[in-house]
Amino acid sequence: MFDESLLDDPDALSRADVHGLLRGAAESGARVRTAARNADEAGIGALHPDGRPRAVLVVGPGPAAASTAELLGALSGGGCPVAHLRPTGVAAAPGALRWTLPGWAGPLDLLLAVSPDGTEPGLALLLEQAYRRGCSVVCVTPAGTPLADATAQVRGLAIPLTSTPYEATMAGDDAPARPENGENVLPTGPGTLWSLLTPLLALADRIGLFEAPRSALDALADRLDRLAERCGPATATYGNPAKTLAAELADSLPLIWTEGDLAGAAGRRFATVLAALAGRPALAAELPEALTAHSALLSGSFAAGADPDDFFRDRVEDPEALHARVVLLRERAPDITSAVPGARDLALHRDTPVSELEAAEDASPLETAAELLAVTDFAAVYLALAGTP
């Protein structure tokens, strides 16, 4: 059940937020500033690269690694291939995961390891393999962890992960249990992505992957601060895009349709955090392929009119059926080549409601990513909190 009245009760939201998810979303700007400072202190500014790498390989546990790779790839604009290496293993536990470099990886390539935990032996083994192949290695992980030590052993660059004091407290007995091994862990909050991504943005600027100077990172942090005020719990639903989106997605199956590489990365992350934090299914696809991939969902059992109210149905005992709702994420206003107008018309023709989210016109690529990620992260958190029994 989704309690929409909870959205406009900041005190109730605070009581429901036992894992500090709202705090994690609100402090993203501060994380960016601290992570940029940590990157400078780790020596990124002193690097003298010979040129852009042939390929960038991103590894790490959990969905944040995949999001990091997709965002780096989108920001690079195709100037350099960015690939996410997925792990194998019998469980999603640190000791069970293993990674393997592709056969072509060598001295011209850069390996980026991102880990909020830093205890994965599989990553340490991968770093040894990369060292033997001659790959350059950069790792973002907590200082003093086995992964940080392994990075130093292979002559890589280890950047301390930015964290907050309350995270260590939250990862205690009240954290949800991991079904694979029973360990108590804090769920991946919205701020973790920026802690992992920001040092790599500074690195990407240094190696010529794309432009992200310190001034751009400061502007990114400022934009995240403004978004936190706009989407925070103190702002009423009618003026809060994240709360509005959360209320619209209650009791629906979100079909997240995106246009643009950055929007595509943000849409896939939105689907991931909806499942991970709010326990809600969602499907993400890029336009125009989404019109074909999800067309049947607009006319099948998930269509808005597929399950008309039965006069004799018990409205107390029987839960309402999930119906599809299209969420359009785009980086800029549609132009003559855009598939967005056609997507909107198709959804409305099938009596499917549509939610839309677009970045500001004057936003840089980094600020565009910040806007799409911040609003959707806050929306996922509100869905998680207002859906708590």
Side-chain angles (χ1 to χ4, degrees), residues 19 212 271 297 306 312 343:
H19 298 302
L297 294 171
F312 297 101

Side-chain angles (χ1 to χ4, degrees), residues 174-189:
D174 293 334
R178 220 183 242 163
E180 293 84 3
N181 59 7
E183 293 180 3
N184 287 331
V185 293
L186 180 68
T188 301

Side-chain angles (χ1 to χ4, degrees), residues 156-235:
L157 176 63
I159 304 172
L161 179 72
T162 299
S163 59
T164 57
Y166 76 89
E167 285 180 333
T169 303
M170 295 303 300
D173 296 335
D174 293 334
R178 220 183 242 163
E180 293 84 3
N181 59 7
E183 293 180 3
N184 287 331
V185 293
L186 180 68
T188 301
T192 303
L193 176 64
W194 293 110
S195 294
L196 296 171
L197 180 62
T198 302
L200 302 184
L201 296 177
L203 176 66
D205 177 75
R206 193 65 181 170
I207 65 177
L209 194 60
F210 52 81
E211 292 187 2
R214 183 58 185 268
S215 59
L217 297 182
D218 290 339
L220 169 64
D222 293 341
R223 179 62 67 100
L224 287 170
D225 285 345
R226 292 194 295 271
L227 288 166
E229 292 180 7
R230 185 179 168 204
C231 299
T235 303

Side-chain angles (χ1 to χ4, degrees), residues 79-351:
C80 175
V82 179
H84 174 228
L85 302 185
R86 301 183 181 278
T88 60
V90 297
L97 297 175
R98 293 293 182 271
W99 289 264
T100 303
L101 287 176
W104 49 263
L108 299 179
D109 305 309
L110 172 63
L111 178 67
L112 303 179
V114 292
S115 171
D117 189 67
T119 61
E120 299 86 1
L123 282 179
L125 294 174
L126 181 71
L127 264 55
E128 293 178 5
Q129 183 182 2
Y131 179 71
R132 292 193 298 270
R133 298 270 197 97
C135 298
S136 300
V137 173
V138 175
C139 181
V140 182
T141 193
T145 59
L147 184 57
D149 294 340
T151 305
Q153 290 175 4
V154 299
R155 300 180 182 178
L157 176 63
I159 304 172
L161 179 72
T162 299
S163 59
T164 57
Y166 76 89
E167 285 180 333
T169 303
M170 295 303 300
D173 296 335
D174 293 334
R178 220 183 242 163
E180 293 84 3
N181 59 7
E183 293 180 3
N184 287 331
V185 293
L186 180 68
T188 301
T192 303
L193 176 64
W194 293 110
S195 294
L196 296 171
L197 180 62
T198 302
L200 302 184
L201 296 177
L203 176 66
D205 177 75
R206 193 65 181 170
I207 65 177
L209 194 60
F210 52 81
E211 292 187 2
R214 183 58 185 268
S215 59
L217 297 182
D218 290 339
L220 169 64
D222 293 341
R223 179 62 67 100
L224 287 170
D225 285 345
R226 292 194 295 271
L227 288 166
E229 292 180 7
R230 185 179 168 204
C231 299
T235 303
T237 299
Y238 66 83
N240 189 319
K243 288 183 179 180
T244 299
L245 182 58
E248 291 174 346
L249 295 183
D251 303 319
S252 71
L253 173 66
L255 303 181
I256 304 168
W257 294 355
T258 65
E259 187 169 66
D261 292 339
L262 282 174
R268 286 184 288 273
R269 172 172 167 79
F270 188 28
T272 298
V273 296
L274 281 174
L277 299 184
R280 293 175 177 268
L283 299 174
E286 297 186 22
L287 292 171
E289 290 87 351
L291 302 179
T292 302
H294 293 170
S295 178
L297 294 171
L298 303 185
S299 58
S301 59
F302 291 104
D307 185 25
D309 281 342
D310 183 351
F311 181 80
F312 297 101
R313 179 171 66 85
D314 189 334
R315 288 165 174 76
V316 175
E317 296 294 335
D318 296 341
E320 293 186 8
L322 281 180
H323 294 306
R325 184 182 188 97
V326 170
V327 181
L328 289 175
L329 296 186
R330 56 182 184 270
E331 301 169 15
R332 60 190 63 86
D335 57 22
I336 193 172
T337 63
S338 173
V340 168
R344 189 189 297 116
D345 292 343
L346 173 64
L348 297 179
H349 179 71
R350 300 283 182 86
D351 295 323

